[in-house]
Amino acid sequence: MIKRYSHKEFEQIFSDENRFNNYLIIEEAVVEAYFKLGLIPEKDYEAIVKKAHVDLASIEEIEAITKHDVIAFTRSISLQLGEEKKWFHYSLTSTDVVDSAQSLTLKAANGLLLEDLDNLIDVTRKMAKKYEKQPIMGRTHGMHAEITSFGLKWALWFDELNRCKERFLNERKNIEVIKLSGAVGNYANIPMAVEEYVAKKLGMDYAKISTQVLSRDRHAGYIFSLAQIASCLEKMATEIRHLSRSEIGEVQEPFSKGQKGSSAMPHKKNPIGCENICGCARLMRSYVDVALEDNNLWHERDISHSSAERIILPDACTLLDYMLKRFTGICKDLVVNTEKMNENILLHYGVTYSGGVLSKLINKGMSREEAYDLIQPIAFKALNEKKLFRHLLIEDEKVSKVLTKKEITECFDENNYLKNVSNIYNRLLKPGKSLLVLGSQWGDEGKGKITNFLSEKADIVIRYQGGNNAGHTIVFDGHKYALRLIPSGVFNENVKCILANGMVINPRAFKEEVEEIRKAGFPANNIYISDRAHVLFDHHIELDRLNEESLGSKKIGTTKRGIGPAYADKISRVGMRMCDFISDEFPELYRNLLTIKNKQIIDMGGNPIDYDKTVKEYIELANFVRPMVTDTVSMIGEARRERKNILFEGAQGALLDVDFGSYPYVTSSNVTSGGTVDGTGIGCHGIDNILGIVKAYETRVGEGAFPTEQLNEIGDLIRERGHEYGTVTHRPRRTGFLDLPALKYSIQINSISYICLTLVDVLTGFDKVPVCTHYEYKGQLIDTLPSSDRVLRECKPVYEYLDGWDEDISDIKSYDKLPENVRKYVEFIEKETGTPVVMVSTGPDKNQTIIREEIF
Ligand code: GDP
Ligand code: IMO
Ligand code: MG
């Protein structure tokens, strides 16, 4: 790109030096992969990494002879190496390096382009807000049509730019990939594991299949996404140019001190910035054509694309950066002449209000045709005779027979045209997000605290599984609250809290909890219970006790809240749902149910439940819950349609999931993200993001394998510091160090997209913080979670020891201020799991939460 349209960062990114540096990064990563695979001696690998460097002058000199830049590069490096040079570029074809390095280059460019785009989106959002109520003449076919809001123009652009961003992010995924598949893509000379290793090391993806090159549809799609951004800018710039025409004069491009418009006409202030954007956009579009042609390569590749690509890729990125920065400046400092906008509305004697008069006449019973034919000549008369349309309407006999003077005057209120602007904004600027917050370990990760924190931005918080086995502690404004059944958004009156169909609900425990919340001063009038949720009765609790007793030393260590038996009844199709519980039939249904259940209890040597003693209380409890029981499936569907913000709150942790946990030492529901779909009726596409709550260490309550458990003073110390005692049963929690194989497993089975790391403060004061990276099982290193609890018990943790920290972090409010070793701990987890840590919790209080990235 010509210097005039290039910013420094992009010149650097697309410089020869950076290109060769990226070649070297790829080559060295390949050598490292070979070394890790045991195919290259360590000393050779180390020698290459130590000695190899980019020498531009030498490359240039060699290229003059070879006429091949990659060979020039590899030969130049070989000159720096000894015997080990045979491993440099070993088994690679040039394009393995060129294409992979190009992806690295584009990754850097894309990071900056995204920043540029976000800045422009932010400006459009602010302009939309600022001018939300500013009337402006809407023009269709270039003619005055109806009043609209100036803010709506920006809102429309905001919306389009967001679509552009989505497309760009999608295409990034396709372009930021490496390929190391050899000369025709068949991996004949290079193990596939090398490609996988290099991709992981560079934090990129690899093409699942390629020829000698990455398929060029990726590049075409990418360039198209850039061109679409440019085309959106062109559209905005064109509108600004139109609105700044002398006849309109509603906006003006910023015109700096000393700037000149025309060499011949000193009075002129031309919209040259916007004109420049329009011209650049034309160029951007032309790259798409070339990029599409580049897709058509012969057989396993020819080189016809290369020359074109050397120009269009750097140019498209560099030019778009230039356009975005320049245009953002124009928009930010745009001179807006609101007076002129108001004046222009008054041109044409008010005929632009004709649509409103038409509607009013129709509302009064006139046919559309009759009303139209009545108004049209009056509007034309106003224009021809330069008389106010409103006065002519009032004077007209036929009109005044139907409309009073007041009614006619009402048609000329500009608010008629602006009344839905804020509703459009609501739809647009609040797009309606859904986020699932779930425990990624063995429960008690701090889900309650984080759900309560996030619920400020939610319209609805939904619990989808479990019952009052859960215990969620919430601390704010100096008070501590413990929730078992009720979603952690209940303290926020504007948030609707749903106990969805996947839950098992003990109505007595529920009533107690509601009363506790009310006693604490919260109305708790925002609770809804699914009519499909199952009721947990006393007989379930008795059966839970009996099951545990019968298991003896093999007991699960349940919370004894009847959870397992309640879910067993649901699956056996003998459970009772809320819709039946609150019905008139309940006494009869309950009698039949109890007859069956009491037989089971007696068989197991337990205490049968007395129907007469309990039915009265249950009827009262049914009366208590009845007003809250509703069709929550429809409620949730409606909320989605209305683009409400929805939070799902998991209970327990993924490793206690009945399918994926360390069976049988699990709870009886699907705790994992799949449980949300079945447990609420939201549907598979209803969850936008999944936030895994990860305790900085590990705890477990109840029985079952726990590889990193610390049955020693360290474990006791963690327990005391973290107050690790059960919220529900007050049992001391078992404690241990962070277990990455388990966490990675959890991330996979839940599709966790973000991590919130909690209780980090508890680890303050340790000299070293061990993190389990692998298990050793029968002499083998594994990093996956075995299905059998027996096998997991035999897995010995293999630790990596990270440096600890002494500083008190409980009052730190920003990530940058955290001690370096805390950040290293966070970033280590991030790197190992490949999942961004977007929140860090440094204490139980709601305020002790650090946000790195807003996700909800
Ligand atoms: P949940 O079941 O996942 O909601 O977690 P629990 O509430 O049962 O257990 C988490 C415990 O840790 C509670 O006592 C919280 O008040 C507390 N807690 C949450 N986050 C933090 C944190 O970052 N630091 C400390 N020290 N305590 C926390
Ligand atoms: P929250 O939501 C920690 C454990 C029990 C037992 C196993 C089965 O606060 O994270 P159950 O009563 O469900 O049949 O018990 O599951 N368990 C929990 N552990 N936190 C929880 O919930 C738990 N809910 C159940 O200790 O090992
Ligand atoms: Mg808990």
Side-chain angles (χ1 to χ4, degrees), residues 493-517:
E493 284 174 44
N494 301 323
V495 172
K496 290 183 174 157
C497 289
I498 295 181
L499 285 74
N501 57 284
M503 289 186 75
V504 288
I505 301 167
N506 175 337
R508 187 187 302 118
F510 174 77
K511 180 164 182 264
E512 279 167 16
E513 202 172 320
V514 171
E515 282 166 354
E516 256 173 49
I517 295 169

Side-chain angles (χ1 to χ4, degrees), residues 439 443-450 470-475 480 488 649 652 693 695 721-727 733 757-762 840-845 848:
D444 303 323
E445 299 89 348
K447 300 175 288 292
K449 170 192 159 158
I450 300 302
H472 298 174
T473 315
I474 287 155
V475 182
K480 184 167 164 178
S488 300
E649 179 183 20
Q652 291 81 50
I693 311 296
K695 197 175 263 198
R721 286 218 192 125
H723 308 291
E724 294 292 2
Y725 294 89
T727 315
R733 292 174 183 155
L757 195 67
T758 56
L759 291 116
V760 184
D761 52 304
V762 174
V840 177
S841 170
T842 57
D845 194 279
Q848 292 171 301

Side-chain angles (χ1 to χ4, degrees), residues 126-135 148-152 154 418 420-426 429:
K126 285 184 181 139
M127 292 293 272
K129 270 269 152 236
K130 186 168 175 190
Y131 295 106
E132 179 177 350
K133 300 267 155 55
Q134 173 58 46
T148 183
S149 128
F150 184 49
L152 273 185
W154 293 94
L418 301 179
N420 272 321
V421 173
S422 59
N423 290 333
I424 301 171
Y425 273 47
N426 272 346
L429 303 176

